[in-house]
């Protein structure tokens, strides 16, 4: 095979692929080389020098973290000289490092502790004048510079993976420290990845600080429930007091070497529900279902719960409403009619490894932060071209995007049609397909969408040398009135080009629900039981429910992630009340345990008949996702026909975009104590002028027959005449197009 390099490590024959270093090959082969500053998902920091090795014929030591091997080279990882060098490095690291292990949050899982013991540093041979170093409180994050070893992990991950580029090293010899970049205080999205990668106790969670020792906590492997990325995480739990048997989640951790979490996943963990068995409410719930005409539910449920709802529908002969999942299912059905496949083709890993990404229909940094992290990784590591098409320019993407295509609200069908025409102009299309694109009215589509020929040609030029390409379709598209035709156009791009497609669902299990349930169009009829959704009788894990049930951090079950992977989650905390399975048993469709349904999920949709207890739930030492399984691909008849692009809609006046701020996703993140709740209507000076409002004004926003009162906040980073309206704090229909014509009126407090 080309581009393979053969060499030896400690006498063992090994092979390196192009781009691999001595360290990455050693780790893959299970050969230990100590490190302090290395992290797999960023470029080497090369600051600790612990990874030194010897290379035959090379004078001095070689840094294994950033040195690629050469053909036939002989590497040795452990000699007396290397041991002495690494021991001296550890002695220097330990110079005046505060002996605060008894109260340090990192004690028991500290790399400095571990390496100090590993290299037998029992006394200090060096000294340096100590000095006072102020502990910084950066909101959710605390920084103690006296504990910092300047490994630069935090800086690299913030810049290369997250994309915030919010921190930097301020060099000054012994006074060097981590500082906010170009700011007096930390200005970032507070993902907490800097806390995760910090090898010592320098960067810690402000909420967790001094609350528990690492060895006191029990780890529960689970899946994040805040968006469709389905990130792996561990809830760390402990009893709430010395004499208490009740447990609480103290913090969330992730396998930071390979995976990342956003701030909602890391800090928004306390949304559990507390209730006891209320028999009266339970019997009322059963009666409500007997008399109901429909069940309305959200996608914040497990696949097993979705299957129970489907069986209740079949048993009772009622309708099943979930507009979020129904519209997603319709989109995927249209996509499949052209692609011939039931599931989209791309994954987050494909995005990370790409050298070109086109994304349309999402403010992705807040809709699905992990997709943003994958694009940032591609841009920083592969030099990927990131082409971002949206009516609103996103300030959080400014460090990543290489071309911004600003289109007019509602014109997504025209934009995707233009993209398809340009991307497929050299493709081997049928005569009928070629004729379809030739008949497109380019002038009209460009004029109405505001995407000109020069922008499209610039895009094609930037893509000319790229090979690994991904098209990302966001949640804005699913509720578009022409979503079905957009799905077919997107499938055409995938079918006839080298683009793979990633379709981003809204909620944690939108995809799973769409594959499990047969859903009806929500006609807002009466006599509806709501399951984590609005209804005449509400069964919910949210406050003010008629019957309380467990929240998702109190349940076992599975979700389907954005990668088409069925992943398990486990209960971090107990729940004393009833669950959906108890109700289902009353109608003869329940099981002994809810997870007994895992093996009964529909095979026709790609699920496998696997018991819950047989699902793996870990990342391999090389970072491979071993959780659960990938959905089987289901072939579908390709009978889809493209529709003509008719008149594109016009959105005039004051337009709002229903999108949540950083760290907020839904009613569950709204329950958590650490996450900021920015409930303001955010807009530019241009929007303020158009709506005749000023910064700080209380305004009433009216659209689609509903209204909400907000405080208007003018933000310099925003541009254009579209304001951003949060929805996490009220029951917003999830199946509606997120851009809305609105009426804005100032509210008089008097």
């Amino acid at each position: 095979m080309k581009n393979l390099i053969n060499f030896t490590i400690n006498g063992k024959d090994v092979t390196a692929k192009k781009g691999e270093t001595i360290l990455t090959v050693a780790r893959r082969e299970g050969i230990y080389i100590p490190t302090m500053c290395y992290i797999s998902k960023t470029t080497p920091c090369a600051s600790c020098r612990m990874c030194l090795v010897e290379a035959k014929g090379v004078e001095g030591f070689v840094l294994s973290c950033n040195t690629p091997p050469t053909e036939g080279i002989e590497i040795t990882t452990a000699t007396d000289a290397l041991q002495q060098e690494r021991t001296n490095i550890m002695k220097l690291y330990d110079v005046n490092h505060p002996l605060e292990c008894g109260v340090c949050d990192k004690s028991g899982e500290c790399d400095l502790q571990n390496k100090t013991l590993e290299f037998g540093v029992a006394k200090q041979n060096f000294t340096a004048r100590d000095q006072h170093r102020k502990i910084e409180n950066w909101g959710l994050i605390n920084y103690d510079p006296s504990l910092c070893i300047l490994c630069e992990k935090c800086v690299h991950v913030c810049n290369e993976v997250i994309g915030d580029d919010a921190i930097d090293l301020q060099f000054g010899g012994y006074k060097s420290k981590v500082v906010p970049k170009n700011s007096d205080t930390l200005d970032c999205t507070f993902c907490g990845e800097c806390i995760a990668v910090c090898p010592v106790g320098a960067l810690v969670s402000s909420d967790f600080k001094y609350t528990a020792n690492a060895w006191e906590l029990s780890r529960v492997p689970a899946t994040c429930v805040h968006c469709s990325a389905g990130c792996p995480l561990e809830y760390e739990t402990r009893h709430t007091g010395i004499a208490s048997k009740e447990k609480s989640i103290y913090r969330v951790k992730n396998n930071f070497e390979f995976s990342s979490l956003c701030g909602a996943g890391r800090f928004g963990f306390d949304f559990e529900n507390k209730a006891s068995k209320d028999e009266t409410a339970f019997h009322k719930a059963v009666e409500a279902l007997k008399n109901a005409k429909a069940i309305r539910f959200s996608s914040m449920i497990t696949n097993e719960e979705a299957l129970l709802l489907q069986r209740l529908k079949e048993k009772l002969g009622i309708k099943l409403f979930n507009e979020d999942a129904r519209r997603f299912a319709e989109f995927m059905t249209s996509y499949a009619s052209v692609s011939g496949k039931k599931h989209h083709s791309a994954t987050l890993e494909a995005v990370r490894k790409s050298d070109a990404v086109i994304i349309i229909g999402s403010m992705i940094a807040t809709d699905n932060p992990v997709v943003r992290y994958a694009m940032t990784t591609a841009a920083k590591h592969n030099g990927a071209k990131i082409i971002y098409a949206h009516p609103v320019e996103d300030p959080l993407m400014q460090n990543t995007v290489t071309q911004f295509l600003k289109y007019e609200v509602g014109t997504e069908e025209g934009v995707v049609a233009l993209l398809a025409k340009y991307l497929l102009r050299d493709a081997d299309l049928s005569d009928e397909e070629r004729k379809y694109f030739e008949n497109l009215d380019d002038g009209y589509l460009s004029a109405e969408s505001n995407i000109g020929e020069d922008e499209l040609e610039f895009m094609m030029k930037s893509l000319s040398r790229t090979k690994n390409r991904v098209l990302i379709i966001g949640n804005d598209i699913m509720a578009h009135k022409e979503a079905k035709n957009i799905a077919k156009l997107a499938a055409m791009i995938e079918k006839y080009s080298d683009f793979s497609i990633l379709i981003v669902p809204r909620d944690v299990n939108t995809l799973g629900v769409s594959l499990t349930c047969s859903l009806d169009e929500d006609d807002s009829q009466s006599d509806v039981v709501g399951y984590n959704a609005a209804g005449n009788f509400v069964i919910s894990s949210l406050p003010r429910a008629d019957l309380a049930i467990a929240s998702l951090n109190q349940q076992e079950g599975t979700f389907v992630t954005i990668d088409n992977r069925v992943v398990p989650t486990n209960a971090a905390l107990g729940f004393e009340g009833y669950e959906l399975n108890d109700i289902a048993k009353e109608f003869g469709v329940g099981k002994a345990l809810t997870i007994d349904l895992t093996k009964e999920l529909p095979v026709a949709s790609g699920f496998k008949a696997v018991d819950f207890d047989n699902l793996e739930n870990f990342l391999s030492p090389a970072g491979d996702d071993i959780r659960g399984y990938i959905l089987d691909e289901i072939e579908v008849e390709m009978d889809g026909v493209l529709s003509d692009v008719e008149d594109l809609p016009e959105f005039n006046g004051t337009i709002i975009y229903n999108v949540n701020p950083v760290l907020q996703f839904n009613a569950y993140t709204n329950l958590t104590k650490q996450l900021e709740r920015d409930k303001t209507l955010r807009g530019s000076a241009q929007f303020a002028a158009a709506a005749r409002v000023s910064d700080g004004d209380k305004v009433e926003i009216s659209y689609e027959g509903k209204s909400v009162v907000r405080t208007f906040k003018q933000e310099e980073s925003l541009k254009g005449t579209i304001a951003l309206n949060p929805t996490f704090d009220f029951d917003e229909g999830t199946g509606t197009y997120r851009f809305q014509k609105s009426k804005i009126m100032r509210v008089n407090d008097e």
Side-chain angles (χ1 to χ4, degrees):
M1 187 181 293
K2 294 181 179 180
N3 299 323
L4 292 183
I5 300 163
N6 300 299
F7 68 109
T8 65
I9 303 179
N10 298 339
K12 180 181 180 180
D13 292 331
V14 296
T15 302
K17 301 174 185 177
K18 183 180 179 181
E20 287 190 311
T21 64
I22 295 170
L23 179 61
T24 55
V25 175
R27 286 191 168 191
R28 191 182 71 232
E29 296 292 331
I31 300 170
Y32 175 66
I33 298 175
T35 64
M36 284 287 285
C37 71
Y38 184 77
I39 179 171
S40 300
K41 63 188 178 186
T42 70
T43 56
C45 303
S47 64
C48 75
R49 302 187 65 81
M50 289 291 292
C51 69
L52 293 169
V53 295
E54 291 183 357
K56 188 175 181 179
V58 177
E59 186 177 351
F61 300 125
V62 174
L63 282 178
S64 64
C65 70
N66 66 358
T67 304
T70 56
E71 185 68 28
I73 197 167
E74 298 177 19
I75 300 297
T76 304
T77 66
T79 65
D80 290 342
L82 285 169
Q83 181 74 8
Q84 185 62 46
E85 183 70 12
R86 291 167 180 162
T87 301
N88 286 334
I89 290 171
M90 285 311 305
K91 288 178 179 179
L92 289 171
Y93 267 130
D94 286 334
V95 170
N96 287 6
H97 190 88
L99 298 175
E100 298 176 354
C101 299
V103 295
C104 180
D105 286 328
K106 204 69 175 184
S107 184
E109 54 184 10
C110 172
D111 280 0
L112 192 68
Q113 267 184 350
N114 295 340
K115 295 295 192 302
T116 298
L117 293 171
E118 179 182 344
F119 291 98
V121 180
K123 62 180 181 178
Q124 187 54 271
N125 301 86
F126 310 109
T127 61
R129 179 177 293 178
D130 204 357
Q131 54 189 295
H132 174 70
R133 302 186 184 196
K134 179 185 175 185
I135 296 176
E136 302 288 346
N137 186 342
W138 293 333
L140 295 176
I141 299 168
N142 265 23
Y143 173 61
D144 187 345
S146 67
L147 296 173
C148 183
I149 62 172
L150 305 175
C151 66
E152 300 184 56
K153 281 184 176 181
C154 57
V155 176
H156 278 249
V157 77
C158 185
N159 179 32
E160 297 179 29
V161 178
I162 305 305
D164 284 356
D165 198 18
I167 52 179
D168 206 351
L169 276 187
Q170 183 182 80
F171 293 101
Y174 195 57
K175 295 181 180 179
S176 299
K177 61 181 179 178
V178 175
V179 296
K181 191 172 184 178
N182 303 322
S183 177
D184 294 331
T185 187
L186 189 60
D187 182 15
C188 69
T189 57
F190 287 97
C191 65
E193 276 293 290
C194 57
I195 295 172
V197 303
C198 183
V200 291
L203 288 160
V204 297
S205 162
S206 303
D207 180 74
F208 178 76
K209 193 173 183 179
Y210 302 143
T211 61
N213 293 306
W215 58 85
E216 297 177 294
L217 300 171
S218 299
R219 294 185 177 182
V220 180
T223 299
C224 183
V225 302
H226 293 318
C227 78
S228 57
C231 298
L233 55 75
E234 290 179 329
Y235 292 116
E236 292 204 326
T237 66
R238 196 193 73 169
H239 52 79
T240 55
I242 296 175
S244 174
K245 293 183 179 180
E246 184 179 354
K247 286 187 176 182
S248 177
I249 300 172
Y250 276 68
R251 65 177 174 182
V252 163
K253 297 182 72 175
N254 62 310
N255 187 333
F256 60 82
E257 279 286 341
F258 306 106
S259 68
S260 299
L261 279 180
C262 74
R266 191 176 310 280
F267 302 115
F269 50 76
D270 50 331
F271 52 88
E272 71 273 10
N273 197 17
K274 295 182 180 180
S276 57
K277 280 186 164 61
D278 185 337
E279 291 189 21
T280 300
F282 177 78
H283 291 303
K284 286 182 178 179
V286 172
E287 287 301 312
L289 278 169
K290 287 179 180 178
N291 298 318
K293 295 178 181 177
I295 301 172
R296 180 182 294 115
F297 68 105
S298 82
S299 300
M300 299 291 290
I301 64 172
T302 64
N303 292 316
E304 292 74 15
E305 289 178 287
L307 184 55
L308 284 173
L309 291 175
Q310 176 65 25
R311 290 183 175 176
L312 283 170
K313 170 186 177 172
E314 295 165 359
K315 180 76 173 183
L316 300 174
I318 59 178
K319 293 181 178 180
L320 207 53
F321 297 153
N322 182 321
E323 285 298 281
D324 164 50
R326 185 185 70 82
R327 289 180 180 271
F328 185 85
E330 284 187 347
F331 185 91
M332 293 306 298
T333 298
S334 293
Y335 158 84
S337 71
V338 171
S339 70
K341 301 177 300 182
K342 193 173 186 68
H343 312 306
H344 62 253
S345 56
T347 63
L348 287 168
E349 185 62 18
V351 178
R352 293 185 195 102
K353 292 182 176 179
S354 68
D355 55 11
V357 175
I358 299 176
I359 177 169
I360 181 170
S362 174
M363 188 168 271
I364 202 68
T366 50
D367 284 349
N368 201 306
V370 178
V371 177
R372 175 204 178 193
Y373 303 161
M375 289 194 293
T376 302
T377 300
K380 299 292 184 178
H381 294 181
N382 312 329
K385 307 297 182 183
I386 308 295
I387 299 159
Y388 197 100
H390 202 263
V392 181
E393 191 168 358
D394 188 351
L396 293 177
M397 295 296 296
Q398 63 184 0
N399 294 332
T400 306
V401 171
T402 55
Q403 184 182 6
F404 176 53
L405 297 176
K406 183 177 182 179
Y407 60 82
E408 295 296 324
V409 173
T411 64
E412 285 87 350
E413 183 188 20
V415 174
V416 177
L418 287 171
L419 288 175
K421 180 169 185 175
Y422 275 76
L423 294 173
L424 302 179
R425 61 187 179 188
D426 297 323
D428 186 19
L429 304 178
S430 68
D431 292 341
E432 185 178 354
E433 290 165 337
R434 179 67 61 194
K435 185 177 180 180
Y436 174 87
F437 288 110
E438 288 174 352
N439 289 339
L440 285 176
D441 189 343
D442 295 17
Y444 170 76
L445 296 180
S446 291
E448 293 300 310
S449 68
N450 200 36
I451 304 295
E453 179 184 358
D454 54 341
E455 293 177 281
L456 293 167
E457 289 294 350
F458 182 83
M459 176 192 73
M460 295 301 295
K461 184 178 179 180
S462 66
L463 294 175
S464 61
R465 295 186 179 181
T466 61
K467 297 179 180 179
N468 302 314
R469 306 173 179 178
V470 180
L471 172 64
I472 302 175
I473 304 292
N475 189 250
D476 293 351
I477 304 295
M478 310 307 156
H480 193 281
K481 68 183 184 71
E482 300 298 338
K484 294 179 182 179
N485 200 44
I486 296 173
K488 294 173 186 175
L489 287 164
M492 284 283 290
I493 295 173
E494 179 185 47
K495 184 177 179 180
Y496 290 109
S497 77
D498 51 7
F499 274 88
S500 58
I501 289 188
L502 184 69
I503 300 171
V504 183
R506 179 183 185 272
D507 286 332
V508 62
N509 208 25
T510 299
L511 182 48
V513 170
S514 73
L515 296 172
T516 305
C517 297
S518 172
L519 299 168
D520 304 287
E521 185 173 357
D522 194 338
D523 54 9
S524 300
Q525 67 180 56
S526 58
D527 299 324
V528 173
V529 170
Y531 189 73
N532 289 327
N536 304 102
F537 187 95
V538 175
I539 305 168
S540 179
S541 55
L542 293 167
R544 296 180 297 279
D546 296 305
L547 176 66
I549 57 168
S551 198
L552 284 176
N553 57 4
Q554 299 167 290
Q555 293 188 53
E556 291 181 308
T558 59
F559 309 118
V560 183
T561 74
I562 197 172
D563 286 347
N564 292 316
R565 180 177 289 277
V566 180
V567 297
T569 192
N570 293 295
L573 302 172
F575 182 71
E576 301 299 326
Y578 289 102
E579 58 184 47
L580 180 61
N581 189 43
D582 294 320
I583 299 173
K585 289 177 184 177
E586 294 291 311
F587 295 96
V589 295
K591 296 286 183 177
L593 298 172
T594 303
I595 55 173
D596 291 337
L597 290 156
T598 304
K599 62 184 177 184
E600 299 182 13
L601 294 169
V603 174
S605 294
F607 292 98
K608 299 178 182 180
V610 180
D611 286 321
F612 179 84
D613 289 337
N614 291 332
L615 296 176
E616 301 285 7
N617 194 5
F618 65 95
L619 301 184
S620 76
D624 300 317
D625 195 344
I626 313 297
R627 298 177 299 154
Y629 59 84
I630 297 290
L631 289 169
D632 287 333
E633 187 52 79
I634 306 297
E635 293 186 0
V636 178
E637 184 179 355
M638 291 185 287
D639 56 359
V641 178
L642 292 172
S643 302
D644 292 334
V645 180
E646 303 294 348
D647 292 346
L648 299 180
E650 292 186 7
F651 280 68
N652 300 314
T654 50
I655 302 169
I656 60 167
Y657 180 44
N658 288 322
V659 63
N660 285 313
V662 174
L663 304 187
Q664 287 291 348
F665 290 89
N666 47 53
Y668 294 94
T669 53
N670 189 36
L671 292 175
T672 62
K673 69 178 182 180
Q674 292 189 71
L675 302 184
E676 181 184 0
R677 295 169 180 78
D678 185 353
K679 300 179 181 181
T680 57
L681 176 71
R682 294 170 291 142
S684 66
Q686 192 176 354
F687 177 88
R692 298 181 181 179
V693 296
S694 301
D695 185 53
D697 281 353
K698 184 176 287 187
V699 298
E700 182 179 32
I701 312 162
S702 302
Y703 64 98
E704 274 204 330
K706 65 186 74 172
S707 65
V708 61
V709 175
R710 301 282 190 206
T711 298
F712 177 72
K713 181 165 68 176
Q714 186 173 311
E715 290 191 2
E716 294 182 4
S717 61
L718 295 177
K719 302 175 183 178
T721 57
I722 301 170
L724 311 182
N725 180 47
T727 61
F728 65 89
D729 61 329
F730 68 96
D731 186 20
E732 167 66 22
T734 58
T736 56
Y737 186 56
R738 295 201 292 171
F739 290 96
Q740 293 288 332
K741 301 174 185 177
S742 64
K743 183 179 181 181
I744 311 289
M745 294 186 62
R746 281 183 291 180
V747 176
N748 193 334
D749 287 328
E750 295 180 1

